[in-house]
Amino acid sequence: MSHEDEGWLEDGIREVLIRPEEIAARVQELGRQISLDYAGRELVMIGVLKGVLFFMADLLRCVTVPVEVDFLAVSSYSHKNDRQGGVRLLKDLEISIEGRHVLFVEDMVDTGLTLNYLLRNLQARQPASLEVCAFLNKSKNRLMEIPLKYRGFDVPDRFVVGYGLDYREQYRNLPFIGLLKGDRL
Amino acid sequence: MHPAEVVFARILDFYGIAWQYEPRTFPLEWDEQKRVTLAFTPDFYLPDQDLYIELTTLRPRLSTLKNRKMRRMAELYPDVHIKLLKRREMRDLMIKFGLYDEAEKLLGTEAQMMEEEVEDVARG
C-alpha cells in the first residue's frame, strides 16, 4: 500500500477494490479490443456526464481507430424531477449518430434502468450499430437485461466510489475504485 | 404500498418502465386438505422484462420467512424470474438516485420492520 492510498483510507475509504495500475491495464486491453473490432470503421463514442469522465478520457487515448466523442447529460430521479415527469436530457448530443457506429461508454451498469432508457433514446436515432462498453458491471441488482459487449470489471454488490463515481458528489477524484467506510453511508 | 415500494414505483415510472403491482400470488405450501398455507405475492412485475421484483427493507436476521419463500419459489416455479432487492440493495439504489433522506430512513425504524415481518407472517 502506498502513502497516497493510506491518505485516502484515512479519509473515508475502507478498502481499495481496484488499484490504479489494474485500471490502467484493463482500460488498455479494452482500447486494444475496441480498436480491433472497429478497424476500418469510424467510431462515435458517447458517454453520460459526469461519472464516465475519467474512463472515457483514458479509454479514448487507447483507441487507435478514427473516433469522435460526444456526451449526454440526463436528469436523475429526484422528488423534484418526479413531479416533472420522466427523464430529461440536460445536454443532448451535438453530433448526429444516424447511420454511424456508436459505442456507448458507461461508468457502471447496476440496475440498468438509466442505460435502458438511454439506449432506447439512441436507438431511435438510427445508428448503424450500437454497443455498450461498461467500466464496472454490478450484475446482482440488474433489472434490465442489456448485453455489454465490453466490460472492465465485475464488482460485488457494494457501494463503490472513485475514478468518476461519487457519493454525494464526493470521491470522484480517487484514482482507484474503493469502498466507503460504513459511517459515510 | 410500503413507502419503499412507492419510491421504487416512482423510479420505474421516471425511466418509462411498465410495471404491475402484486399481480400474481404463488401458492407455496398446502395442508392435508389442499388448502394453501403459505403463499408469495411478489411486489412488482415488469412485463417487458418478464421479471418479478420483491423488495425487502427487513434487517437480514428478520428475513427468514422471506428467504424461505424465495427458496420455495425456486423449487416450485423455476421458470419464474424473481429478483429480491434486499435492504442494503434498496439503500444503495436510493443513494444512486440521489434519495439520501430515504436511504437514511431505510436504516432506522427497526420496530416498524418487525411489525412488517409479523404482518408478512399473518398474510402467509
Side-chain angles (χ1 to χ4, degrees), chain A residues 20-138:
Chain A
E21 54 271 28
E22 294 175 284
I23 293 174
R26 186 73 188 115
V27 171
Q28 208 160 43
E29 285 172 11
L30 288 171
R32 196 177 303 126
Q33 189 60 52
I34 290 166
S35 302
L36 283 172
D37 292 348
Y38 286 90
R41 293 186 284 175
E42 288 195 11
L43 178 61
V44 181
M45 288 169 60
I46 293 172
V48 179
L49 298 171
K50 309 175 217 174
V52 81
L53 203 60
F54 300 104
F55 180 45
M56 179 68 96
D58 289 344
L59 184 63
L60 266 175
R61 285 176 285 184
C62 296
V63 168
T64 55
V65 295
V67 59
E68 284 185 45
V69 64
D70 206 346
F71 292 94
L72 291 165
V74 294
S75 60
S76 303
Y77 177 84
S78 70
H79 294 306
K80 187 180 162 199
N81 287 333
D82 180 34
R83 286 194 291 273
Q84 293 173 353
V87 184
R88 285 177 303 120
L89 285 182
L90 302 176
K91 181 204 170 299
D92 203 351
L93 298 177
E94 290 166 29
I95 57 180
S96 169
I97 60 168
E98 186 177 347
R100 307 186 70 183
H101 297 286
V102 175
L103 181 61
F104 188 77
V105 182
E106 263 281 42
D107 49 1
M108 181 166 70
V109 182
D110 188 354
T111 60
L113 287 170
T114 310
L115 181 57
N116 175 273
Y117 169 83
L118 289 168
L119 291 181
R120 280 186 282 146
N121 182 297
L122 295 176
Q123 199 68 61
R125 306 177 195 214
Q126 300 181 312
S129 67
L130 178 59
E131 301 288 356
V132 178
C133 174
F135 175 61
L136 299 181
N137 175 42
K138 192 195 278 186

Side-chain angles (χ1 to χ4, degrees), chain A residues 77 79 120 140 157 168, chain B residues 15 88-89 97 100 102:
Chain A
Y77 177 84
H79 294 306
R120 280 186 282 146
K140 181 141 192 309
D157 177 33
R168 294 191 173 213
Chain B
Y15 287 97
R88 197 186 66 207
E89 293 153 1
F97 290 113
Y100 301 110
E102 284 78 359

Side-chain angles (χ1 to χ4, degrees), chain B residues 9-34:
Chain B
R10 286 180 180 161
I11 290 172
L12 292 176
D13 284 341
F14 185 73
Y15 287 97
I17 306 298
W19 58 272
Q20 298 166 6
Y21 183 68
E22 297 189 345
R24 185 175 168 190
T25 295
F26 296 88
L28 298 178
E29 290 176 5
W30 297 261
D31 63 14
E32 289 87 358
Q33 281 78 46
K34 309 265 189 210

Side-chain angles (χ1 to χ4, degrees), chain B residues 29-74:
Chain B
E29 290 176 5
W30 297 261
D31 63 14
E32 289 87 358
Q33 281 78 46
K34 309 265 189 210
R35 288 177 302 207
V36 174
T37 56
L38 185 70
F40 182 44
T41 307
D43 297 320
F44 291 90
Y45 177 63
L46 310 186
D48 293 339
Q49 283 70 37
D50 188 23
L51 176 69
Y52 289 90
I53 297 171
E54 175 69 7
L55 309 182
T56 178
T57 56
L58 299 172
R59 290 178 189 280
R61 64 187 170 82
L62 299 176
S63 304
T64 313
L65 181 64
K66 196 154 279 189
N67 291 336
R68 182 174 142 212
K69 288 182 176 184
M70 291 297 287
R71 280 196 302 274
R72 289 292 288 160
M73 278 296 298

